[in-house]
Amino acid sequence: MARGRRSSLQWYRMDLHTHTPGSKDYQQPDVTYLDILQQAERRGLNIIAFTDHNTVRGYREMLDEINRLQWLEQSRRITAEELLRLKEYRRLFDSLLVLPGFEFTAMFGFHILGVFPPHTDVRTLEHLLLHLKVPSEALDHGETNIGATADVLTAYAAIREAGGIVIAAHANSANGVAMRGFPLGGQTRIAYTQDSNLFCLEVTDLDRKDRRATMRFFDGSKPEYPRPMRCIQGSDSHRLVRDNTNPKNLGVGDRATEVQLKELSFEELFQVLSGTDFVRTRP
């Protein structure tokens, strides 16, 4: 990009890893989808993705609620309280980029985020999950453990082919493809973190600057890991706000990433995260 066009770019705040009551392990089942969007706004987010475990149930239920409210409005049967909810949804969707997605559990328990355009048909995403061998009877359960599924590289390719952004979820954790703490598996780690279909590594130590930081390990300086990887962070929130009794249980937007875009759109986000201009994302 020409230097003169940098001035037209803006920083936007995103959390591409949030759960909803659509995940079985969500910690506050009474929270509504509107609550989550309102909390995203309070935390200054511009982009949020619903990424429930092996399901798009949460995103689908939110759309179902909005469609029901719109039908009630059109049929002139809507109550004052329902009309307020519909207006609030419209206001938030005007200011937030709300994206459908999922957190897929691949073979051997590795977690992968797929984030898709806002106009994506939910049934298309459910078909993709079935293709990745999520059992049909588990498609609405939002569970992390679902039996034998597709391998990591197959999942990367399938999500990318479906038009999604491919992110290795909490890559430096026990369920992460960086396989931190594993004494073996070097060739597997190389394959899982250097694959051309993978956009980013989501990490939980992006604030670290020492030599053990995940971002330093994948900066392209190691001969066996020649592809430098963009590292981002997400909240992996399973609740609305941080749990004061266990600060590791984050809320919406508690661990966010800023991304520099020409406009607030999925297409622009896709281009940046699939590109190599790493200065356009920051914790």
Side-chain angles (χ1 to χ4, degrees):
M1 180 178 294
R3 184 181 298 272
R5 296 186 64 185
R6 285 287 186 184
S7 60
S8 65
L9 300 177
Q10 294 185 49
W11 287 101
Y12 296 92
R13 189 175 175 88
M14 65 181 182
D15 188 350
L16 298 183
H17 192 174
T18 63
H19 293 269
T20 80
S23 289
K24 187 175 182 180
D25 58 356
Y26 197 74
Q27 298 170 9
Q28 297 175 303
D30 293 335
V31 164
T32 69
Y33 303 108
L34 190 58
D35 290 335
I36 294 173
L37 297 185
Q38 289 172 329
Q39 180 65 8
E41 181 184 53
R42 282 191 290 268
R43 295 310 311 270
L45 295 179
N46 308 105
I47 306 169
I48 184 172
F50 284 10
T51 51
D52 287 312
H53 295 295
N54 303 297
T55 186
V56 287
R57 178 186 138 203
Y59 193 84
R60 187 187 72 231
E61 288 184 347
M62 178 185 66
L63 293 184
D64 286 346
E65 180 187 5
I66 293 171
N67 289 335
R68 182 182 67 84
L69 291 172
Q70 289 177 333
W71 180 85
L72 288 171
E73 181 188 43
Q74 291 166 4
S75 61
R76 298 183 180 181
R77 299 179 184 180
I78 196 166
T79 66
E81 182 179 349
E82 290 168 335
L83 183 58
L84 285 175
R85 288 186 66 81
L86 180 57
K87 288 182 176 179
E88 181 68 350
Y89 267 123
R90 286 170 173 161
R91 185 186 70 81
L92 289 165
F93 268 76
D94 282 342
S95 61
L96 292 171
L97 180 59
V98 185
L99 302 175
F102 52 71
E103 183 175 11
F104 171 65
T105 305
M107 187 183 297
F108 304 124
F110 294 109
H111 290 190
I112 303 164
L113 298 175
V115 179
F116 298 87
H119 55 74
T120 306
D121 185 358
V122 171
R123 295 302 181 193
T124 299
L125 299 184
E126 291 177 336
H127 185 270
L128 175 57
L129 287 168
L130 291 172
H131 172 71
L132 294 174
K133 301 182 181 179
V134 173
S136 58
E137 64 271 16
L139 205 57
D140 276 347
H141 292 178
E143 298 187 54
T144 56
N145 299 318
I146 51 172
T149 56
D151 65 88
V152 168
L153 299 183
T154 297
Y156 288 170
I159 294 169
R160 181 74 180 262
E161 185 178 354
I165 294 169
V166 186
I167 303 171
H170 38 69
N172 58 317
S173 75
N175 298 105
V177 299
M179 302 173 67
R180 297 295 291 268
F182 283 70
L184 303 173
Q187 291 301 316
T188 302
R189 182 188 296 116
I190 291 170
Y192 285 0
T193 60
Q194 299 284 284
D195 188 76
S196 60
N197 288 311
L198 179 63
F199 287 47
C200 317
L201 301 176
E202 181 202 45
V203 301
T204 61
D205 62 347
L206 201 54
D207 56 332
R208 290 181 61 171
K209 304 299 181 184
D210 59 86
R211 62 184 181 86
R212 292 185 60 81
T214 307
M215 184 171 63
R216 287 280 300 274
F217 188 90
F218 294 102
D219 63 3
S221 61
K222 293 177 172 54
E224 64 271 36
Y225 297 91
R227 180 191 172 200
M229 291 302 302
R230 183 188 304 277
C231 291
I232 65 172
Q233 61 184 10
S235 68
D236 192 9
S237 58
H238 286 70
R239 53 187 298 114
L240 200 61
V241 297
R242 188 189 301 261
D243 184 356
N244 290 330
T245 64
N246 186 355
K248 290 184 178 180
N249 292 332
L250 303 181
V252 175
D254 279 342
R255 194 161 54 208
T257 300
E258 291 187 334
V259 58
Q260 198 178 43
L261 307 174
K262 290 185 289 187
E263 62 179 11
L264 185 59
S265 70
F266 176 85
E267 292 73 21
E268 176 69 3
L269 180 64
F270 185 102
Q271 290 299 319
V272 171
L273 296 188
S274 63
T276 57
D277 191 353
F278 290 176
V279 300
R280 293 179 66 180
T281 52
R282 65 188 185 190

